[in-house]
Amino acid sequence: MKGIPSSLSPIQLHNRLNRPVWIGFKMTRRGKRQLVLLSTGTEGGAQLSKNFETFVGQIVREFKIDPAQTDFVELRQEKGQSDIGENGAGESGAVAHSWYRWHAHWVGSAPMECRADPVTSDSACSYLEEALLRSTAAA
């Protein structure tokens, strides 16, 4: 659970090798759509790039999420930074993380052909920062 931002709830999932790992998780709603924020912190066995299909399949089934109405976004922390605190900053005081939006072709609750794109829009990044730090996301 090391390195997971304090504003995300740790949940235990199984990676593609069926080993238990902890990831940070937060689900918010905006209108009819849901936003799922994910972060692996610094746990090596929990890399989203290698385990996205496995992790979100478990999340969709466990929380009964409609994947067609859900956006999955990953918070990647830069190496050398510790937990993101209440102000969104690491130990050095500078925000050292990036956002990635995951896309998948869904067959039932199974994601296929998954890929992540960096979130580069200032307004989208601001919304995600706000969603991360608030108890509920702004509508």
Side-chain angles (χ1 to χ4, degrees):
M1 292 190 300
K2 188 173 184 172
I4 294 175
S6 60
S7 52
L8 299 179
S9 300
I11 62 170
Q12 189 176 48
L13 299 173
H14 288 84
N15 67 12
R16 63 192 167 91
L17 302 174
N18 203 30
R19 293 188 178 131
V21 294
W22 290 93
I23 67 166
F25 169 85
K26 184 173 189 175
M27 187 167 44
T28 63
R29 182 173 291 281
R30 182 179 186 190
K32 293 183 179 184
R33 295 200 59 82
Q34 293 189 95
L35 174 65
V36 175
L37 302 175
L38 303 168
S39 179
T40 60
T42 56
E43 187 163 348
Q47 291 178 334
L48 270 172
S49 60
K50 294 181 178 179
N51 294 288
F52 180 79
E53 294 94 341
T54 306
F55 290 160
V56 297
Q58 292 171 65
I59 290 169
V60 164
R61 289 186 295 276
E62 177 70 25
F63 294 98
K64 297 175 178 43
I65 294 173
D66 177 4
Q69 294 297 319
T70 305
D71 295 309
F72 294 93
V73 180
E74 175 189 4
L75 172 67
R76 289 186 194 167
Q77 291 180 246
E78 302 300 324
K79 291 184 195 279
Q81 290 297 312
S82 69
D83 187 32
I84 294 176
E86 290 302 312
N87 64 355
E91 284 180 339
S92 67
V95 176
H97 60 266
S98 303
W99 293 101
Y100 291 83
R101 182 169 186 265
W102 281 88
H103 306 273
H105 173 72
W106 289 88
V107 178
S109 63
M112 308 271 209
E113 302 170 15
C114 302
R115 71 183 192 332
D117 295 325
V119 176
T120 56
S121 160
D122 289 340
S123 61
C125 288
S126 294
Y127 174 76
L128 293 170
E129 296 293 332
E130 187 175 317
L132 175 67
L133 298 176
R134 290 185 179 226
S135 58
T136 58

